Amino acid sequence: MELSKKVKIALDETRILILGVQILLGFQLRGVFSDGYEQLPTYVRYLDGLALGLLVCVVGLLITPGPYHRIVESGEDSAHILRLVTVIANLSLFPFALALGLDVFITAGRIFGEAAGADAGIAATAVAVAFWYGFPRTRTRHTGEQERAMISGPFDKPPSTPLDVKIEQMLTEARVVLPGAQALFGFQLAIVLTLSFEQLPGPSKIIHAASIFLVALAVVLLMAPAAYHRIVYAGEDTQDMHRVGSILVTVATVPLALGLAGDIYVVMAKIADSPIAGLVAGVLGLIVLIGLWHAYPLTAAYIRNRADR
């Protein structure tokens, strides 16, 4: 299989993963403002905050290949980007499984009681880990050795990636980022109409309003390449389309990181009933997201440029 096709499949698989994550992320953010949330025991609310933190890490990891591909590889396919997507998928599934188990524990505990909820949460995590890690690892003992060797071994320098493939992959990367932005934006708009939002302190309301603007900007930027491609070039592939689209998709991750960090502050401050706790969580979230989406790719690009001199 050609390298470009392998990269495209890897990006499509990442897109599948983030589509699953966006449902839980929306629940984590929206649930804090539901009527029955205050009736939960304190430790359960803290576990809910932990699940939110895990999902933010998962979203950060799954979006990382896109900015890396744009910043470091300039949209060119390489063995390194293929390996990166594989590593990211492996890293992101475990915190996803833990967050899934915590959310099942919270909801099942609300219906059947805490003991049954704990059993259901553990079972959900165990099933997820079994299918995402256990079953594949078992299969690796008997099959796939040749295919794994192809990706782990040295690659010859690939030819330049065709323009149409670059544009297709850039649009795929935009579709990877967009679900996370959609989940966040839907939460932001919905909670403004809740009674719990009215009870928030003034600073939280202001930060939430700023986060709405930032995430709306991210959504606009992520959708802009499709509009640019269709209106300017009637769907034809050009270098200008690839350059403009790459810039828009990469820049969109900046307001998305800021908007998500802002709402992490709002949610965690409400969970802990402490603006300080919210601030610490928001800053940590921003460090993780900017670190994965910008600091890591920029550092890798700098190191590569130094090595090529």
Side-chain angles (χ1 to χ4, degrees):
M1 188 186 298
E2 295 180 357
L3 179 60
S4 293
K5 190 171 183 180
K6 289 182 179 181
V7 172
K8 177 63 167 59
I9 291 174
L11 292 174
D12 284 338
E13 290 169 349
T14 302
R15 186 180 169 213
I16 291 172
L17 295 177
I18 204 164
L19 287 172
V21 173
Q22 72 166 342
I23 298 174
L24 281 186
L25 181 62
F27 166 75
Q28 294 295 158
L29 296 168
R30 179 66 179 82
V32 176
F33 293 88
S34 299
D35 294 337
Y37 190 80
E38 298 298 331
Q39 300 174 16
L40 294 175
T42 301
Y43 83 93
V44 174
R45 282 181 276 174
Y46 285 147
L47 289 177
D48 187 51
L50 174 60
L52 174 60
L54 290 170
L55 287 176
V56 170
C57 292
V58 173
V59 169
L61 286 168
L62 291 176
I63 290 176
T64 298
Y68 189 96
H69 199 192
R70 298 296 112 203
I71 294 171
V72 181
E73 308 289 354
S74 299
E76 293 285 341
D77 291 332
S78 68
H80 187 73
I81 189 66
L82 185 59
R83 293 189 185 107
L84 177 65
V85 176
T86 303
V87 170
I88 288 294
N90 274 292
L91 287 177
S92 62
L93 286 173
F94 185 67
F96 189 10
L98 291 177
L100 176 65
L102 289 171
D103 283 337
V104 169
F105 161 67
I106 293 169
T107 53
R110 181 83 171 150
I111 299 171
F112 302 109
E114 292 183 10
D119 291 340
I122 293 171
T125 298
V127 169
V129 170
F131 277 96
W132 295 345
Y133 290 102
F135 175 63
R137 297 295 181 190
T138 301
R139 291 290 293 163
T140 59
R141 299 176 183 176
H142 308 288
T143 186
E145 183 176 355
Q146 181 178 354
E147 289 78 5
R148 292 192 303 275
M150 292 173 63
I151 187 175
S152 61
F155 277 77
D156 295 331
K157 183 175 177 58
S160 179
T161 305
L163 180 61
D164 63 317
V165 174
K166 286 184 178 181
I167 292 176
E168 182 182 9
Q169 291 177 352
M170 179 267 295
L171 293 174
T172 299
E173 288 161 7
R175 291 194 294 270
V176 170
V177 182
L178 192 56
Q182 289 174 322
L184 183 57
F185 195 45
F187 148 75
Q188 290 176 323
L189 297 177
I191 70 160
V192 174
L193 304 178
T194 65
L195 180 61
S196 294
F197 184 81
E198 292 297 323
Q199 299 171 350
L200 289 178
S204 289
K205 291 181 179 179
I206 293 172
I207 291 174
H208 182 71
S211 295
I212 290 177
F213 171 78
L214 288 165
V215 175
L217 176 60
V219 171
V220 169
L221 291 172
L222 289 168
M223 295 175 65
Y228 188 84
H229 194 197
R230 192 55 41 193
I231 294 172
V232 178
Y233 295 110
E236 292 295 324
D237 297 331
T238 67
Q239 288 289 352
D240 178 67
M241 169 58 204
H242 178 253
R243 178 179 60 83
V244 172
S246 295
I247 292 172
L248 289 169
V249 172
T250 304
V251 170
T253 57
V254 176
L256 179 60
L258 292 169
L260 182 52
D263 275 317
I264 290 172
Y265 164 84
V266 174
V267 171
M268 294 304 295
K270 188 176 188 307
I271 290 174
D273 194 22
S274 168
I276 300 299
L279 180 61
V280 171
V283 170
L284 287 176
L286 185 61
I287 290 172
V288 169
L289 297 177
I290 293 296
L292 288 171
W293 298 347
H294 298 280
Y296 169 52
L298 288 171
T299 302
Y302 175 76
I303 293 173
R304 178 175 296 187
N305 290 335
R306 286 288 300 271
D308 291 341
R309 289 178 184 176

